[in-house]
Amino acid sequence: MKVIECPRDAMQGIKSFVPTIEKIDYLNRILKVGFDTIDFGSFVSPKAIPQMKDTEAVLKGLDLSETNSKLLTIIANERGAQEACGLEEIAYLGFPLSLSETFQQKNTNKTIDEALVAVAHIQDLALQHNKVLVVYLSMGFGNPYGEAYSAEIVVDFIQKLELLDISIISLSDTVGVATAEGILSLFSEVIPVYPRIEFGAHLHSKPEDSVSKIEAVVASGCQRIDGAILGFGGCPMAKDDLVGNLATETIIDTISDQVNIDYLLFSQAQEAAKDLFNQYT
């Protein structure tokens, strides 16, 4: 199981700007822990996500000399992809594609059809620059906007992405509507059918529901899971009442036999997270 730590998702909804130097210090602590990938920033309009306007400056301050963790950044259009592709330290570009027409417009100011065209162009850019495009299928476990949702709709999106040779798809529960049964059912349906695709889970959840959801992810054969230390964060584009990320602590406790991290350095990162979020939230 690849554990993806998401400080970007944890910080992006904080209204008070976290100074660049403090982001750098926090991320450098996380880089030492041993996570597979760090979702560290985004190249999107600062009007949309002002907290991430310093991503390139943050990147320059990171110490990557003694880490095996790979860096992922979120992009929402070709301009952002071009910026990220020019930075060799970044391994993954993450694009949010939604099953909801409403949310796609809110999140990237595109229709779903326009977003799929963007995915195709960004995939070309990624391949040209030796990057891997990760597509997040938001509203992957249910649609809170009253639009149609079914497993068949999810499969239709996956088929379109497979035609573009997308190799990593993360099914995302942007507002915390997924159930353990739904997670197990959906992943168990798609994973055997698309062996060339690495599937991930990006779940937002209330703490009391987290363990059952994580267990469902593991039981389904999913290969990667996203979390954020202390469960901070949520998508500011989705709702006023943010549902937090899966707490990385809960992920580690639940699947400790599948995780290889430095627990002392992880505990130090937890303390840094408490200090950071207590100060700015």
Side-chain angles (χ1 to χ4, degrees):
M1 180 69 76
K2 297 178 181 179
V3 177
I4 318 302
E5 176 62 25
C6 302
R8 183 271 317 165
D9 206 359
M11 287 190 281
Q12 69 178 6
I14 299 176
K15 293 181 180 178
S16 300
F17 185 73
V18 179
T20 303
I21 191 65
E22 295 194 34
K23 290 191 181 92
I24 290 170
D25 178 67
Y26 181 48
L27 287 166
N28 277 330
R29 291 174 185 270
I30 293 173
L31 283 164
K32 297 176 182 178
V33 173
F35 297 112
D36 180 85
T37 300
I38 311 295
D39 176 355
F40 83 102
S42 62
F43 290 89
V44 300
S45 168
K47 293 180 181 179
I49 308 291
Q51 189 64 253
M52 295 291 108
K53 66 184 180 182
D54 59 347
T55 290
E56 188 166 358
V58 167
L59 179 61
K60 291 178 181 177
L62 298 185
D63 181 3
L64 303 175
S65 62
E66 296 183 6
T67 183
N68 292 320
S69 297
K70 297 173 285 292
L71 295 180
L72 181 150
T73 186
I74 298 297
I75 47 90
N77 53 36
E78 291 175 63
R79 180 198 57 76
Q82 288 170 342
E83 287 186 60
C85 282
L87 301 164
E88 64 176 312
E89 300 92 342
I90 294 173
Y92 297 112
L93 311 181
F95 183 89
L97 178 66
S98 183
L99 276 69
S100 162
E101 197 73 65
T102 300
F103 187 66
Q104 191 70 61
Q105 289 278 6
K106 289 166 69 75
N107 203 28
T108 65
N109 198 31
K110 293 179 175 65
T111 66
I112 290 173
D113 286 344
E114 289 169 341
L116 283 166
V117 171
V119 168
H121 291 161
I122 292 167
Q123 171 72 336
D124 288 341
L125 277 171
L127 293 174
Q128 290 168 23
H129 291 86
N130 199 30
K131 312 292 186 191
V132 177
L133 178 57
V134 180
V135 175
Y136 292 86
L137 277 182
S138 67
M139 311 304 164
F141 298 93
N143 190 322
Y145 295 104
E147 298 159 307
Y149 172 84
S150 67
E152 289 74 20
I153 293 174
V154 178
V155 169
D156 180 63
F157 273 76
I158 293 171
Q159 289 172 342
K160 289 182 171 69
L161 294 173
E162 186 187 38
L163 292 174
L164 298 175
D165 290 327
I166 303 298
S167 60
I168 303 177
I169 297 174
S170 188
L171 300 183
S172 304
D173 182 21
T174 314
V175 290
V177 300
T179 63
E181 295 78 10
I183 292 167
L184 179 59
S185 174
L186 184 55
F187 277 123
S188 298
E189 179 175 344
V190 300
I191 288 173
V193 178
Y194 300 97
R196 294 189 300 165
I197 295 174
E198 179 181 307
F199 284 96
H202 182 98
L203 307 176
H204 293 176
S205 178
K206 295 179 180 178
E208 60 268 26
D209 300 326
S210 294
V211 171
S212 63
K213 292 181 180 182
I214 295 164
E215 290 175 339
V217 170
V218 174
S220 73
C222 183
Q223 299 128 306
R224 55 192 285 138
I225 187 168
D226 292 13
I229 292 174
L230 301 175
F232 283 113
C235 180
M237 299 299 187
K239 282 189 172 182
D240 293 331
D241 298 325
L242 300 184
V243 181
N245 286 290
L246 283 181
T248 307
E249 295 83 351
T250 307
I251 295 172
I252 291 171
D253 289 344
T254 306
I255 58 170
S256 57
D257 60 330
Q258 299 185 45
V259 178
N260 182 22
I261 64 168
D262 186 312
Y263 283 88
L264 175 60
L265 293 175
F266 179 60
S267 67
Q268 293 173 0
Q270 286 178 293
E271 291 304 312
K274 290 177 186 177
D275 291 343
L276 185 73
F277 289 98
N278 284 339
Q279 183 176 356
Y280 292 102
T281 58

